[in-house]
Amino acid sequence: SPLCPQWPYCRKRCSYCSFNTYVVPAADEAAVRACLAREARTLLRLGRVQSVTSVFFGGGTPSLASPGTIAAVLEAVAGAAHLPADAEVTLEANPSSAGTPRLACFRAAGVNRLSIGVQSLDDAELRLLGREHTAAEARAAVEVARGLFPGRTSIDLLFGLPGQSRGAWARGLEAALGLCDDHVSLYQLTLERGTALAAQVWGGALPAPPQDLLADMYQTARAALVAAGFRHYEVSNFARKGALSAHNLSYWRAEQYIGVGPGAHGRFVPWGEGGCRREARVQTLEPNAWMREVQRQGHGTRRWVVLSLLEQLEEVLALGLRTDEGVTRERWGRFSPDLSLEAVFGAPGEARALQQQGWLVLDGSGLRCTREGLAVLDSLLPGLLCQLQHR
Amino acid sequence: MALAGSTAMWWARLWCRCPAAAPLCLPPWLPPWLPAGPVACERPYSSRGEGKLDMSTYPVESIRNFSIIAHVDHGKSTLADRLLEITGTIAKTGRNKQVLDKLQVERERGITVKAQSASLFYSHEGVNYLLNLIDTPGHVDFSYEVSRSLSACQGVILVVDANEDIQAQTVANFYLAFEAQLAIIPVINKIDLKNADPERVEKQIEKLFDIPVDECVRISAKQGTNVEKVLQKVIEKIPPPHCNTADPLKALVFDSTFDHYRGVIANIALFGGEIQKGYKIVSAHTKKKYEVNEVGILTPNEQPTHKLYAGQVGYLIAGMKEVTEAQIGDTLFLYKQPVEPLPGFKSAKPMVFAGMYPVDQTEYNNLKSALERLTLNDSSVTVHRDSSLALGAGWRLGFLGLLHMEVFNQRLEQEYNMSVILTVPTVPYKAILSSAKLIKEYGKAEITIISPAQFPDKLSVSEYLEPTVLGTIVTPHEYIGKIIALCQDRRAVQKDMLYIDERRVMLKYLFPLNEIVVDFYDALKSLSSGYASFDYEDAGYQAADLIKMDILLNGNPVEELATIIHNDKAYATGKFLCERLKDAIPRQLFEIAIQAAIGKKIIARETLKAYRKNVVAKCYGGDITRRMKLLKRQAEGKKLMRKIGNVEVPRDAFIRVLKRQPDK
C-alpha cells in the first residue's frame, strides 16, 4: 500500500490554497515527528500492510520539516512493514525551502523523488498567487533538484490565473518546458471558497477567466507537452520516459492507501480491528488535537465510514476515468467479479450514447475517455454514476 | 400595484374575530320613534322581544342606499368611520382609525377585497332615516362586483383628496356611478392639510363631470369637519329606492361570505316584497330552493331582524353550503312566485390566467387545502388542475384582473404561509373557427383559448380575438410625451385626451389586455415618478393578428414555453425568452440552439456553446470523499432534469423563465 504522511505547516498561506494547513511561529517538530511515526506504525498494523509500495510526503509544506523527521517516518514505516529499496518516496517541496544542501539531506533521508511547487515562472503571477518565491528561485530550485534527482523531479504549474492571457500562458509553458525534467503537473487554478483569491474574483476586484479561454489554455498545454514527448497520463499529469508517479497512479487505480498526519485521508481495510470491508478514513484536522489523540491512542482517526461495493465502484469509475488507461477490465473485475464493465456500460443507455458521441471508449482493455472526453469528464460522470446505480 | 381605493374593511369581520371587544362597540341604537339627535341611544327592541329588530318602522321613503367611492388614500375609510360614529353605530373612541382594514393585504394596499355593508340610523328634521352604506370593492378588477353593489344603491359619495387632484380611479368610479344613473355627492376631503386646494379640485370636478362647483362638500373626515353635512346631503339628494313591499319578493345578492358554522351569508338588497325566517326561496341562477333560517341587518355585525322589507339592505342565511350558490348579481324570489330576475347577472369572468405551482412538490397538499380555504370566500377565482412536466402538479387559476391575482397570491403567503411559483399571466383569447370539422368538434364556432396548447391553426380559423380594456390615465402634463410613447408601444389606441385643468391631463386608451397584464403599471409609475394614475375597465374583444410562438431547444419544442402573442410583438418577446433561457440553462456537452419559432419560421436565436473543459484539475486522496458527494448530487439532479431532445433543462431554469419578475 502507498502511504501518505502529511506535514501540516506552511510559512505562509498562498492566496489560492484551501488545504488543511497551519501557519505557526514554531511547530514542536519533535512531537510532530514522533506522532507521525507512531500513527504510521499503528495504521500499518491496523491495515496489516505487508509492503509499502510508495510514500508521498504532502502537506502543508513538507520540505519545511527537517530531513531528520522524514527519515524518522521512513524508519517507522520500514519497521512496521516491508519498504522496498526501490519504493517511490516523493517529497513536495517549495522553491524557497529547496536549497542544495537541504535537498541533499532529504535524499540522504530516503527521498528519491521531488515534486516542486513552481506554479509559475512569472514574478507578477507568483505575487498574485501569494507565493514566497520568485521565478529565479524556482528555476534555481528545479536545477538543483534535477541534479540530485535526475529523471525523478516533477514540477507543478498553474494556469487560468485571473487576468492571465493566452499569450502569457504560452510563454510560461515554453519556459517551463525548457526547465522541466520528465514529469509535469499542470493544474487549472480552482477558486476555492474561503481563499483570498476567490474573494477578490467573486468580489469583482479581479477578472474571472472566461470558460473558453481556460479550455484553450488546456488544449494548448496538452498539445505542447505531447509534442515535447510527454504522455498525458492523467487529467493534469504528464510524464515522459516512463516517469509516471507510481504513488498518484495508485490513487487513480483506487488501490488502498494509508493517510498519516492531520487531515490525512485513507482508504483501507482495517483487518487488525476485525474489519473486512474498505473504509474511508479521515484523521483529525487540527495538528495539536491530532497529536493528543495519537499520543493517547496511537492514531488520530476522526471518522471512518465503511464503503459499500457500489461506493467503491463509484470511486473506481470517477478516479480511473481520469487516466489515459481508464478503468481496466481486470481492475473492475477485482472489485466487481459478478457484474462486468460490459454489463454495466455496454448496455443501451447514457454510457452507450456517450460512446457513440465520441466521449468514451469501451473495448477489450476497458472503459476510458477519448481525448475530447477527458476534458469534459465531469459532465460524463453523473450520467455514468446514474447508470451504475441502476444496475 | 396599488390601483385601488382605500376603504374600510368592514366591522362585521372585525367583530366576529374579537368577540371580547363586541360589548364595547355595541351600537347605541337610535330608536326610530325618538326624534332625538345622533347621540341618542336605546335599542329598538320590538314588543315581541327575542332581541330582534323590527324593520317595519322604516318605510321605503325613509331609506337611503348609498356607497362611498374614491381613489386610493383619498379618505374613504376615514369618512366611513366618521359616518358610523355620528350615527352612533360605533362608539367615538378616537381609535376608529384604520382598524377596519383587517387583512394585512388590505392595509398594505389600501384596498377592499371583500365588500361589506352597514346600516346607519339617523334622524333629520324630525324624520328617522335608515341609511344603508353599501361598500364596494376598491378596484376595477372587481368592477363587476362594484357595479352589482352600486345597483343596490341610489347614490354615491365621490371622495376626492383636496391635495391630490382627480385621479384615474376617481374618473372610473364616477362613470360607473354615472352610468348606473345614481345621484352623485362630490366630497372634497382633507381640507385641513396645508397644501389643500379645494377650489382647484372643484373646478376639475366641474370640468370633467359637469357638476357645479357649489355642489361639492368640503370636509375633513379626519377632524370631522362638515361630515354631518354629508349625511344631510345623502338624505336630500339621494332618492329613496323605488319599490313596494306589496310586490312579490325580489332580492339582489350583492355579496356573499362564508362562515364555517353557519354556511353562506348572502348580502341582499330587497327590490320588492319582504322576507323572513321560514320563507321558501329560489335562486334565479341555480334554480335551487332554500328555506330562510335568518335575516337581519349589518350594523356592521350581523343583527337579526324579524323581517326585511322592500328597499332595505341586509343579510340572509338559508342553508347554502358554498359561495357559488349565492353568486353576486343573482336574484332570489319566493318559491312558486317567480319574478323577472334583475338585469346584469353574469358569472365571474376571469380575465387573467396564471399557473400556480408549489415551490416544492411535497407542499402540494398543503397548497391545495390553502387554495380551497381561500376560494371559499372568493368565488371569482377559477381553479383548474394543471400539470407541467417542468413544474410538476399545480393549477391554472383565473382571476378578475392583475390586482386580484396579486392580492390572492399575497393572501396565500401571508395568511397561509404558502410560497408558490406563479407563472407569467396570460389572457383568454378567442378564435372564430372556419373549419367545419373543428366547429363540429367544439360544438360551436367561437372558442376561448386559455392555453397555447389549444391554439387552433390559422388555416382553420377565420379570425382571432383578444380581450381589450379601456384604460384611463390621469397625469401631470409634463409626462404626456413619455406616456403616449409607452401606450403606443403597448399597441394601445388613443380614444380621448382632455386637460382637466392647466396642469393635469386625462388620457383614454384602448389597450389589448395582454399588453398591460405584466408590467404596464410599473412602467407607467416609473416614467411619471409615481404621479400618473391608471385604471381600466373591460372593453370587449377585438380582432387581432395572433400567433403561437414556440421555443425550440435544438429543434425540439418546449411545451411549457409556447406562448400566444401578437405578431408585432413576436420578435421582441422571442428574443427576450431566448436570452433568458440562455442564462438559465447550463452548458452541456454539445452546442444548444435556443430558438423562437412561428410555425417553421425561426424569428430569434441564441446559441449556448458546448462545454469544452470542466474536469476538475486536482483529484487525489484527500479530495475524493467531497468529490464523490458532489458527483452523486449531480447524478441525482440529472434525474430531476427535464429532457427536451437530448438537452437537459433544470427545473429552476423554467422557473426563472416563466416566473413573473416581481419588481422589474
Side-chain angles (χ1 to χ4, degrees):
Chain A
S1 295
L3 184 106
C4 12
Q6 301 288 309
W7 177 263
Y9 303 108
C10 287
R11 225 164 15 216
K12 182 182 173 220
R13 185 173 270 279
C14 301
S15 66
Y16 58 93
C17 177
S18 65
F19 286 171
N20 179 41
T21 68
Y22 299 83
V23 178
V24 291
D28 181 355
E29 184 161 356
V32 178
R33 177 195 304 148
C35 287
L36 284 172
R38 181 158 177 210
E39 190 175 49
R41 276 194 298 270
T42 310
L43 297 181
L44 284 170
R45 232 172 272 137
L46 188 64
R48 296 214 177 129
V49 175
Q50 305 287 315
S51 172
V52 172
T53 48
S54 63
V55 180
F56 194 105
F57 287 92
T61 312
S63 57
L64 288 178
S66 69
T69 295
I70 303 299
V73 174
L74 291 173
E75 267 166 40
V77 172
H82 176 55
L83 180 63
D86 62 349
E88 183 185 282
V89 179
T90 308
L91 177 80
E92 279 188 335
N94 255 9
S96 48
S97 51
T100 311
R102 202 171 166 79
L103 290 187
C105 289
F106 282 127
R107 189 175 65 170
V111 171
N112 59 21
R113 184 172 179 273
L114 219 56
S115 171
I116 303 181
V118 172
Q119 314 310 1
S120 167
L121 291 168
D122 178 284
D123 285 339
E125 288 180 358
L126 288 168
R127 277 194 298 278
L128 178 69
L129 295 169
R131 301 292 291 181
E132 272 192 307
H133 60 88
T134 63
E137 283 167 327
R139 283 173 191 284
V142 176
E143 297 295 346
V144 170
R146 289 187 66 179
L148 287 167
F149 305 93
R152 294 178 75 90
T153 298
S154 173
I155 61 169
D156 282 1
L157 290 175
L158 280 174
F159 70 93
L161 278 55
Q164 189 180 37
S165 69
R166 214 170 303 229
W169 169 235
R171 282 191 298 280
L173 194 62
E174 200 184 319
L177 275 170
L179 178 69
C180 71
D181 194 18
D182 294 331
H183 192 280
V184 177
S185 298
L186 207 69
Y187 300 113
Q188 178 184 312
L189 178 72
T190 308
L191 294 172
E192 299 283 356
R193 192 181 299 276
T195 63
L197 197 63
Q200 283 176 286
V201 173
W202 294 335
L206 288 171
Q211 289 286 326
D212 285 334
L213 176 63
L214 294 172
D216 285 346
M217 287 176 164
Y218 187 59
Q219 297 306 346
T220 305
R222 270 174 113 169
L225 281 154
V226 169
F230 283 85
R231 172 178 157 194
H232 185 189
Y233 75 101
E234 192 263 354
V235 170
S236 302
N237 286 278
F238 299 81
R240 64 185 165 194
K241 300 176 195 161
L244 286 69
S245 164
H247 183 87
N248 285 336
L249 209 49
S250 58
Y251 282 138
W252 300 317
R253 287 175 175 162
E255 283 165 21
Q256 69 168 1
Y257 55 92
I258 291 165
V260 173
H265 287 244
R267 291 278 188 283
F268 64 91
V269 183
W271 300 107
E273 276 176 350
C276 57
R277 303 192 80 156
R278 183 181 282 200
E279 290 181 1
R281 300 174 71 100
V282 190
Q283 311 309 107
T284 295
L285 287 173
E286 202 280 314
N288 292 324
W290 167 78
M291 279 193 276
R292 282 194 298 275
E293 285 166 37
V294 175
Q295 283 156 1
R296 202 172 59 235
Q297 59 187 17
H299 66 86
T301 305
R302 177 50 63 98
R303 266 190 87 209
W304 50 94
V305 179
V306 175
L307 295 171
S308 67
L309 176 61
L310 177 64
E311 286 169 317
Q312 291 183 46
L313 287 174
E314 285 169 345
E315 291 193 358
V316 168
L317 193 68
L319 293 168
L321 288 179
R322 294 180 66 86
T323 63
D324 62 347
E325 64 183 17
V327 179
T328 61
R329 284 178 188 279
E330 180 268 328
R331 193 186 322 143
W332 183 269
R334 238 187 302 138
F335 284 88
S336 168
D338 301 328
L339 189 62
S340 71
L341 260 186
E342 187 73 45
V344 181
F345 300 111
E350 180 98 16
R352 197 193 272 179
L354 293 172
Q355 290 160 45
Q356 281 156 359
Q357 289 157 18
W359 307 111
L360 280 177
V361 176
L362 177 64
D363 62 13
S365 71
L367 181 71
R368 62 187 177 279
C369 288
T370 61
R371 197 186 121 78
E372 293 72 30
L374 187 66
V376 294
L377 176 60
D378 288 10
S379 288
L380 310 181
L381 282 172
L384 296 177
L385 292 177
C386 273
Q387 195 160 342
L388 176 59
Q389 285 161 11
H390 287 116
R391 285 300 311 201
Chain B
M1 203 75 186
L3 299 171
S6 161
T7 309
M9 177 56 218
W10 292 90
W11 310 272
R13 274 203 259 169
L14 181 74
W15 284 14
C16 289
R17 305 236 176 138
C18 43
L24 286 176
C25 317
L26 271 178
W29 294 108
L30 177 73
W33 55 86
L34 282 178
V39 286
C41 51
E42 193 179 315
R43 281 183 82 100
Y45 292 126
S46 72
S47 53
R48 279 166 288 177
E50 295 166 17
K52 282 188 181 174
L53 284 167
D54 180 4
M55 296 303 289
S56 65
T57 53
Y58 291 97
V60 167
E61 306 78 61
S62 69
I63 297 172
R64 300 292 183 272
N65 295 328
F66 69 102
S67 279
I68 307 175
I69 54 182
H71 189 79
V72 59
D73 280 342
H74 280 201
K76 180 172 164 177
S77 52
T78 315
L79 176 57
D81 287 352
R82 288 303 95 72
L83 293 180
L84 287 159
E85 285 173 6
I86 288 174
T87 57
T89 308
I90 57 174
K92 259 186 207 167
T93 64
R95 282 177 296 164
N96 298 324
K97 196 177 158 189
Q98 318 267 262
V99 290
L100 309 170
D101 289 329
K102 210 206 149 292
L103 297 174
Q104 192 180 343
V105 53
E106 291 175 316
R107 277 199 214 117
E108 281 173 16
R109 292 167 182 265
I111 52 173
T112 299
V113 175
K114 288 290 290 177
Q116 301 282 332
S117 297
S119 295
L120 321 176
F121 299 89
Y122 184 70
S123 177
H124 180 59
E125 291 176 352
V127 182
N128 298 311
Y129 290 94
L130 170 63
L131 309 180
N132 295 309
L133 171 46
I134 296 163
D135 192 23
T136 58
H139 186 258
V140 279
D141 272 6
F142 312 107
S143 64
Y144 173 63
E145 278 88 337
V146 174
S147 73
R148 292 302 86 196
S149 294
L150 291 183
S151 67
C153 300
Q154 286 73 47
V156 296
I157 300 173
L158 178 67
V159 182
V160 186
D161 185 336
N163 308 265
E164 288 257 305
D165 305 301
I166 280 180
Q167 299 291 330
Q169 209 190 342
T170 319
V171 179
N173 282 327
F174 170 83
Y175 283 108
L176 276 174
F178 185 75
E179 279 157 23
Q181 298 183 311
L182 304 184
I184 295 167
I185 301 167
V187 165
I188 317 296
N189 191 19
K190 306 195 189 181
I191 55 165
D192 56 309
L193 297 185
K194 196 169 75 219
N195 293 321
D197 190 349
E199 219 163 292
R200 190 180 72 230
V201 177
E202 283 165 4
K203 279 187 191 149
Q204 291 174 354
I205 288 175
E206 183 169 40
K207 169 121 192 220
L208 212 49
F209 305 144
D210 210 15
I211 298 174
V213 168
D214 58 12
E215 287 191 21
C216 294
V217 188
R218 295 183 187 183
I219 68 161
S220 164
K222 195 172 147 204
Q223 299 185 343
T225 318
N226 266 346
V227 175
E228 191 95 35
K229 199 170 164 196
V230 174
L231 278 177
Q232 287 156 15
K233 283 266 187 185
V234 165
I235 289 164
E236 288 162 14
K237 287 197 65 186
I238 297 176
H242 301 287
C243 49
N244 197 330
T245 300
D247 289 346
L249 172 70
K250 189 188 229 183
L252 168 75
V253 177
F254 64 88
D255 196 13
S256 61
T257 51
F258 183 80
D259 181 291
H260 277 279
Y261 301 103
R262 300 195 289 173
V264 174
I265 301 172
N267 290 5
I268 53 170
L270 265 65
F271 282 72
E274 54 178 51
I275 193 164
Q276 70 176 60
K277 183 175 175 177
Y279 276 23
K280 304 242 180 349
I281 55 164
V282 177
S283 147
H285 174 56
T286 65
K287 310 282 187 275
K288 280 191 188 165
K289 192 176 125 187
Y290 303 94
E291 184 176 323
V292 177
N293 296 330
E294 183 180 323
V295 295
I297 58 168
L298 296 154
T299 64
N301 57 333
E302 287 129 24
Q303 175 75 37
T305 61
H306 288 289
K307 283 188 178 184
L308 285 176
Y309 299 91
Q312 296 179 353
V313 170
Y315 71 93
L316 161 151
I317 297 170
M320 295 172 178
K321 299 278 185 288
E322 289 176 24
V323 274
T324 48
E325 293 177 72
Q327 285 208 37
I328 293 169
D330 196 2
T331 302
L332 305 175
F333 54 82
L334 282 178
Y335 180 56
K336 289 193 172 159
Q337 291 186 49
V339 296
E340 181 70 17
L342 289 152
F345 174 78
K346 48 186 179 178
S347 293
K349 186 180 70 174
M351 291 300 281
V352 175
F353 291 86
M356 183 175 272
Y357 299 88
V359 171
D360 178 347
Q361 278 293 321
T362 60
E363 287 285 295
Y364 179 86
N365 283 325
N366 291 340
L367 181 56
K368 185 171 171 232
S369 83
L371 275 178
E372 279 166 1
R373 275 179 286 166
L374 204 46
T375 48
L376 266 183
N377 256 323
D378 190 351
S379 61
S380 53
V381 178
T382 62
V383 181
H384 295 287
R385 263 198 302 188
D386 199 0
S387 73
S388 147
L389 290 168
L391 305 179
W395 298 267
R396 190 148 194 87
L397 304 185
F399 302 97
L400 297 171
L402 271 187
L403 180 89
H404 186 207
M405 177 175 95
E406 298 206 358
V407 163
F408 189 85
N409 188 30
Q410 199 176 334
R411 288 187 68 186
L412 266 183
E413 282 178 10
Q414 290 174 348
E415 294 170 35
Y416 295 94
N417 197 23
M418 296 303 307
S419 183
V420 298
I421 300 163
L422 206 55
T423 65
V424 177
T426 58
V427 301
Y429 294 104
K430 286 183 175 178
I432 311 287
L433 301 173
S434 61
S435 139
K437 186 170 161 271
L438 279 183
I439 294 173
K440 201 175 161 198
E441 205 178 302
Y442 283 100
K444 55 191 173 184
E446 185 182 296
I447 59 164
T448 300
I449 310 156
I450 295 171
S451 95
Q454 309 166 315
F455 195 74
D457 190 81
K458 203 168 194 160
L459 293 172
S460 45
V461 165
S462 63
E463 198 171 37
Y464 294 110
L465 303 170
E466 63 179 344
T468 62
V469 292
L470 185 64
T472 301
I473 299 167
V474 175
T475 175
H477 64 88
E478 57 264 40
Y479 304 112
I480 288 181
K482 284 188 200 164
I483 290 174
I484 289 177
L486 172 69
C487 293
Q488 280 169 353
D489 181 53
R490 302 304 176 107
R491 300 194 286 124
V493 179
Q494 198 180 82
K495 292 289 178 193
D496 195 4
M497 176 162 158
L498 174 73
Y499 271 81
I500 300 172
D501 57 22
E502 60 284 0
R503 301 183 310 140
R504 297 186 74 80
V505 184
M506 181 185 78
L507 298 156
K508 287 204 178 235
Y509 274 89
L510 187 68
F511 286 92
L513 177 61
N514 82 315
E515 294 288 341
I516 61 163
V517 292
V518 178
D519 59 353
F520 177 78
Y521 187 68
D522 297 325
L524 180 72
K525 278 286 174 194
S526 97
L527 63 75
S528 67
S529 310
Y531 285 112
S533 59
F534 177 66
D535 210 334
Y536 66 86
E537 59 191 280
D538 185 3
Y541 277 75
Q542 70 179 12
D545 185 6
L546 299 177
I547 48 162
K548 179 183 167 191
M549 183 173 72
D550 286 310
I551 298 294
L552 312 176
L553 292 181
N554 280 353
N556 298 300
V558 187
E559 183 196 309
E560 291 88 339
L561 300 179
T563 32
I564 299 169
I565 44 166
H566 193 271
N567 208 351
D568 293 353
K569 291 298 176 93
Y571 178 77
T573 310
K575 189 167 180 298
F576 172 76
L577 278 177
C578 289
E579 282 168 3
R580 261 216 207 169
L581 258 188
K582 187 185 174 186
D583 292 338
I585 300 177
R587 280 188 177 199
Q588 296 179 23
L589 288 170
F590 38 82
E591 189 172 283
I592 300 169
I594 304 167
Q595 297 167 309
I598 297 166
K600 298 222 178 313
K601 192 175 143 214
I602 304 296
I603 55 162
R605 176 186 170 125
E606 291 288 329
T607 304
L608 184 63
K609 287 209 233 159
Y611 251 136
R612 290 179 49 211
K613 177 179 188 295
N614 71 340
V615 62
V616 73
K618 271 195 178 181
C619 192
Y620 298 97
D623 306 313
I624 294 178
T625 306
R626 212 176 79 183
R627 180 91 203 107
M628 291 311 299
K629 261 190 196 151
L630 182 69
L631 283 171
K632 278 193 262 189
R633 218 173 30 241
Q634 287 170 348
E636 282 303 307
K638 220 175 148 65
K639 293 179 202 156
L640 299 174
M641 297 261 197
R642 167 103 159 82
K643 242 184 152 181
I644 291 153
N646 54 351
V647 182
E648 286 174 338
V649 186
R651 194 168 157 267
D652 75 313
F654 286 99
I655 296 170
R656 279 159 70 184
V657 174
L658 291 175
K659 203 182 168 190
R660 278 201 80 203
Q661 304 289 295
D663 296 302
K664 208 175 60 159

